[in-house]
Amino acid sequence: MPNIKSAKRRMRSDEVKEARNRAVKSTLKTAESHLNDALKEGSKENAVEALKGVNSAYDRAAKQGVIHVAKANRKKSRLAARANAAA
């Protein structure tokens, strides 16, 4: 437990950031899971909608600083390639 006032503040802010990061990463996994389900289904329309959702989620996460911009772009590219190959 910190004794210094600034360290206590830092701990509180870290908890808030950790909660936000956990929520955003969970949203990313859920969106990716929906895309995987759509690809397994074989429905092109569902896959396109799910891909839009995944792209949006990754862009939001990168904008908030939860993940790096390059990682978001790489994941979006690879998921789009999978979606195009399946369709």
Side-chain angles (χ1 to χ4, degrees), residues 5-19:
K5 188 176 182 181
S6 62
K8 290 177 184 176
R9 266 198 312 265
R10 187 70 181 185
M11 233 176 114
R12 283 197 306 270
S13 70
D14 284 348
E15 286 175 7
V16 172
K17 288 177 188 177
E18 183 183 343

Side-chain angles (χ1 to χ4, degrees), residues 8-65:
K8 290 177 184 176
R9 266 198 312 265
R10 187 70 181 185
M11 233 176 114
R12 283 197 306 270
S13 70
D14 284 348
E15 286 175 7
V16 172
K17 288 177 188 177
E18 183 183 343
R20 184 195 67 191
N21 289 348
R22 194 180 312 119
V24 171
K25 286 182 180 183
S26 173
T27 303
L28 290 175
K29 289 176 188 174
T30 302
E32 208 168 324
S33 160
H34 289 318
L35 177 61
N36 289 336
D37 292 344
L39 291 176
K40 285 179 186 173
E41 236 177 57
S43 170
K44 183 174 180 171
E45 295 161 356
N46 290 345
V48 169
E49 286 300 314
L51 185 61
K52 284 182 186 177
V54 170
N55 286 345
S56 176
Y58 271 107
D59 285 337
R60 258 182 279 130
K63 183 178 178 184
Q64 291 173 347

